[in-house]
Amino acid sequence: TASGTLRAGAAVALVPISGQARIIECGANTSGRSFLGFVPVEVLDGDPVPVVTLRGSTITPILEGGGNLTPGDALFLSDTIGEVSHSTPASGTVIRVGDAFTTAKMTINTDHRVVVTP
């Protein structure tokens, strides 16, 4: 179930809220350790959440700062909640979430996680 509105393409985590499992947008420093996958469509607060998690799946993510993805480049969970970045965050949980496949889509590959302290 969504806790708040989730944007299409957002990186999300599964977290406990008031004793219930809820899906929220996440970032490297905000529930990054609980990263689950990406939401393919906008989801309203309280609604069930479809999450794309399968390695090799493609998704149109939300790129930090906007613009286009660079095909072939690695993408990481961003410091900005719900978004991905071409560069690793300076702190938090560093997760390479996949690789840019086209200027708009990425292929999910979340095999590597590292916790970085500032």
Side-chain angles (χ1 to χ4, degrees):
T1 303
S3 180
T5 298
L6 306 175
R7 298 171 289 166
V12 294
L14 179 65
V15 298
I17 298 176
S18 300
Q20 301 290 323
R22 298 286 186 240
I23 303 286
I24 63 168
E25 290 189 14
C26 68
N29 290 292
T30 307
S31 300
R33 290 184 186 189
S34 299
F35 169 77
L36 184 61
F38 294 88
V39 179
V41 295
E42 181 180 66
V43 179
L44 301 177
D45 183 38
D47 285 350
V49 182
V51 179
V52 179
T53 61
L54 187 63
R55 184 179 199 263
S57 296
T58 59
I59 189 87
T60 301
I62 302 168
L63 181 63
E64 181 180 51
N68 291 325
L69 302 175
T70 303
D73 278 6
L75 294 168
F76 299 88
L77 187 62
S78 172
D79 283 330
T80 305
I81 295 172
E83 301 182 5
V84 300
S85 175
H86 284 289
S87 57
T88 59
S91 64
T93 303
V94 177
I95 302 175
R96 181 177 174 173
V97 293
D99 300 292
F101 180 66
T102 68
T103 57
K105 293 197 178 285
M106 65 172 277
T107 302
I108 297 174
N109 179 1
T110 58
D111 293 345
H112 304 286
R113 293 180 186 218
V114 177
V115 178
V116 177
T117 54

